[in-house]
Amino acid sequence: MTRRRRPTLDDVASAVGVSRATVSNAYNRPDQLSARLREQVLRVAAELGYPGPDPTARSLATSRTGAIAVLLDTSLSMAFSDPALYLTLDALARVIDPRGHALLLLPGGAHGGPPADRVLAAQADIAIVYSLPDGAAALDAVRARGLPLVVIDQPLLPGTARIGCADRLGAALAARHLLDLGHRRFGIFAACSHLTPGGGGLTVAEAAAAPFHDVRERLAGYLDELGSCEVVVEEAAGLSAESAMAGAFALLRASPRPTAVLCMSDQLALAVLAAARQLGIGVPDELSVAGFDDSPPASWSSPPLTTVRQDLVAKGRIAGELALGLLDGGSAASSASASAEVPVSLVVRGSTGPA
């Protein structure tokens, strides 16, 4: 038996009676053809069994892979359990997809971001960093390859395009709201920052030295308002509500127990609400809880969650626009000047009440 020859672009061009360039445009530049001619080319290609241009050959010819690497600080399972992250990634994908780009997700591990060798080997045209700690090895790998770079949230890198939010202001809004309700004994539930493997109690000074910009900024925003109030800080073991339960129980079993808990994400706040239910602590009668993000579960939790709202969809959209600008030949300096912060606002719901 002889193997059947794979149809080529030339075969399609010959069958339709057009040039090779016309067939190529039917796949790569459809706006250059009439709808009728493109339909004819694709129909004949399907009849011949031609699957379209070889992506590997196209990559060699253009020196582009068509992929955008997204460097995460966490595993994929944890990433997709966090509504704030997947809403941002979805908005990012919706911007880049019409341009023919794909997302290559590089999950992180125990050391803050994906391993450097994985970044060095990734076939991608640009890197988007999603919330990595300062000094992550993955960042050195991006620099070594000379890849254009966009940062979502953190770290802050001079001359690099970035989209984030006003973390410090948002945290201050939540703290002021609880102070106005009469609370003076506070728990702060910090996002996982690898300071205490497995989570645990932190001093304020330890939390202020966290390797994540948002942890430092949100802590500073809380402390800007809390002044001489009594404060205990607990670090979560992970980003998901499930992994944060141990820290939530530790906060609520403290003696004396805080009357209000400021959480650095909605996921952490949901863990506190769940722990309070299990311990028989009434929210908001005995305990007030505030989150950060205003992800969808915040509005349907029980009780609905008071939280700091940031526009997660806008963050993903702007990150995509910055990335496409760099891929279209924009300079890193001009993209960095276009870096932005989405606004924040306090959304008051049923999880907070008078002390």
Side-chain angles (χ1 to χ4, degrees), residues 23-156:
V23 177
S24 177
N25 284 340
Y27 289 93
N28 300 318
R29 302 176 67 192
D31 59 310
Q32 301 297 305
L33 279 65
S34 69
R36 183 175 180 180
L37 178 55
R38 182 170 187 260
E39 181 182 349
Q40 182 185 7
V41 170
L42 297 180
R43 175 177 53 78
V44 171
E47 292 171 353
L48 294 175
Y50 176 66
D54 182 353
T56 302
R58 180 163 43 187
S59 176
L60 290 173
T62 63
S63 298
R64 289 284 183 91
T65 67
I68 294 175
V70 180
L71 281 57
L72 303 174
D73 177 53
T74 186
S75 67
L76 290 182
S77 62
M78 191 168 289
F80 288 106
S81 70
D82 180 0
L85 192 154
Y86 67 64
L87 282 173
T88 304
L89 289 183
D90 180 66
L92 168 63
R94 282 188 274 117
V95 170
I96 67 169
D97 182 68
R99 294 283 296 273
H101 299 289
L103 291 182
L104 174 62
L105 301 183
L106 301 181
H111 304 293
D117 58 354
R118 190 164 301 165
V119 178
L120 291 171
Q123 297 187 35
D125 303 315
I126 187 171
I128 296 179
V129 162
Y130 187 99
S131 199
L132 293 192
D134 299 341
L139 297 171
D140 294 331
V142 172
R143 295 188 193 96
R145 288 188 56 180
L147 287 176
L149 176 63
V150 174
V151 172
I152 299 176
D153 287 337
Q154 56 199 329
L156 272 60

Side-chain angles (χ1 to χ4, degrees), residues 3 14 17 33 36 44 46-47 54 56 72 83 98 100 104 115 137 141 161 167 203 207 215 267 277 294 300 320 336:
R3 179 179 297 177
S14 176
L33 279 65
R36 183 175 180 180
V44 171
E47 292 171 353
D54 182 353
T56 302
L72 303 174
L104 174 62
D167 290 294
T203 66
V215 172
Q267 290 289 84
R277 279 194 299 273
D294 197 25
W300 64 67

Side-chain angles (χ1 to χ4, degrees), residues 62 67 82 114 152 155 157 169 184 214 216 239 241 247 264 287 329:
T62 63
D82 180 0
I152 299 176
L157 301 173
L169 172 61
R184 296 297 181 269
D214 65 348
R216 299 192 300 268
L239 298 177
M264 293 191 183
L287 176 74

Side-chain angles (χ1 to χ4, degrees), residues 2 6 14 82 89 99 163 166 168 174 189 227 249 262 272 282 301:
T2 58
R6 184 178 185 269
S14 176
D82 180 0
L89 289 183
R99 294 283 296 273
I163 175 65
R168 188 165 185 160
F189 204 6
F249 279 119
L262 290 158
V272 173
S301 64

